[in-house]
């Protein structure tokens, strides 16, 4: 049994894939590590969210390591609860309940999210995400705000990790999102000079 804050699970909805041939992305990864930490991760391939519930705060009776991908429809339905916490419970037949929703975990392997999940060096300065998709940045901001329980008008910080992506983060180290840049360069031209009136 694992009990987590509803908003923490809800944060992962923002970056999970919805219509994707990669069925293993249409869900939220929940994993319990050997040290007792719990990670909640989702990605659509262009934007990734990862959240950490440190071992002392993780209310879990199942010793790790273990992981599962919870189908996104089950997560969305479970997060409609008014309860501030939600519980993941195994059933004898191999299925699980998350809140009041019964589901079968996605039979697939989640991508190795740890490969991209590292923060820029402390010297890194926030930069304008000129080659980033605004829609992806909005997803990242929404996920980080939801995880941390921030107001909708709060603007999380972001930093360019290198030329490959931008990291969006909140007031503590427990939740962040990674946004990949455009895959193709956009053709641009200098702005026109307005004619006199």
């Amino acid at each position: 049994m694992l009990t987590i804050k509803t908003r923490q699970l809800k944060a992962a909805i923002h970056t999970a894939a919805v219509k994707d041939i990669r069925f293993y992305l249409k869900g939220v990864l929940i994993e319990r590590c050997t040290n007792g930490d719990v990670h909640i991760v989702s990605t659509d391939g262009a934007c990734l969210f990862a959240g950490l519930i440190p071992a002392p705060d993780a209310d879990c009776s199942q010793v790790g390591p273990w992981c599962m991908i919870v189908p996104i429809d089950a997560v969305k339905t479970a997060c409609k609860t008014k309860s501030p916490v939600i519980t993941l419970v195994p059933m004898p037949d191999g299925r699980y309940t998350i809140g009041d929703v019964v589901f079968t975990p996605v039979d697939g392997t989640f991508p190795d999210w740890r490969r991209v999940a590292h923060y820029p060096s402390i010297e890194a300065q926030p930069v304008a995400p000129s080659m980033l998709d605004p829609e992806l940045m909005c997803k990242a901001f929404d996920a980080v705000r939801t995880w941390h329980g921030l107001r909708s008008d709060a603007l999380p910080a972001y930093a360019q990790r290198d030329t490959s992506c931008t990291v969006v983060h909140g007031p503590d180290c427990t939740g962040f999102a990674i946004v990949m840049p455009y895959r193709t360069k956009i053709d641009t031209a200098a702005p026109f000079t307005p004619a006199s009136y």
Side-chain angles (χ1 to χ4, degrees), residues 16-29 43-44 68-73 104-111:
V18 180
K19 296 177 181 177
D20 199 305
I21 193 166
R22 298 166 294 181
F23 65 93
Y24 48 86
L25 296 184
K26 294 190 280 187
V28 174
L29 174 71
T43 184
D44 59 7
M68 75 173 66
I69 303 172
V70 183
I72 192 62
D73 291 338
T104 301
V106 174
D107 184 19
T109 303
F110 202 80

Side-chain angles (χ1 to χ4, degrees), residues 11-197:
I13 293 172
H14 296 288
T15 58
V18 180
K19 296 177 181 177
D20 199 305
I21 193 166
R22 298 166 294 181
F23 65 93
Y24 48 86
L25 296 184
K26 294 190 280 187
V28 174
L29 174 71
I30 298 178
E31 62 178 22
R32 168 99 162 164
C33 302
T34 308
N35 72 349
D37 288 352
V38 172
H39 297 130
I40 298 174
V41 185
S42 66
T43 184
D44 59 7
C47 185
L48 175 140
F49 173 79
L52 162 71
I53 304 171
D57 301 329
D59 183 5
C60 184
S61 59
Q62 294 171 279
V63 176
W66 59 264
C67 68
M68 75 173 66
I69 303 172
V70 183
I72 192 62
D73 291 338
V75 173
K76 287 179 178 178
T77 304
C79 285
K80 290 179 181 175
T81 182
K82 295 196 186 303
S83 173
V85 296
I86 202 160
T87 306
L88 176 70
V89 181
M91 296 174 66
D93 63 359
R95 295 182 300 164
Y96 288 78
T97 60
I98 189 158
D100 296 330
V101 181
V102 177
F103 72 93
T104 301
V106 174
D107 184 19
T109 303
F110 202 80
D112 181 11
W113 63 275
R114 287 174 174 81
R115 235 175 7 99
V116 296
H118 58 87
Y119 192 71
S121 66
I122 198 69
E123 294 83 21
Q125 296 296 315
V127 295
S130 57
M131 288 303 293
L132 295 171
D133 183 336
E135 186 177 331
L136 294 180
M137 287 299 286
C138 286
K139 284 183 179 183
F141 287 158
D142 288 343
V144 170
R145 278 192 290 253
T146 303
W147 176 268
H148 292 291
L150 301 174
R151 293 179 4 187
S152 62
D153 62 348
L155 183 64
Y158 53 91
Q160 190 83 14
R161 189 174 70 199
D162 48 37
T163 56
S164 67
C165 66
T166 292
V167 180
V168 178
H169 55 96
D172 65 34
C173 65
T174 63
F176 64 91
I178 295 176
V179 180
M180 302 305 289
Y182 284 117
R183 287 194 172 91
T184 56
K185 187 169 171 39
I186 300 170
D187 290 332
T188 58
F192 68 90
T193 302
S196 58
Y197 184 64

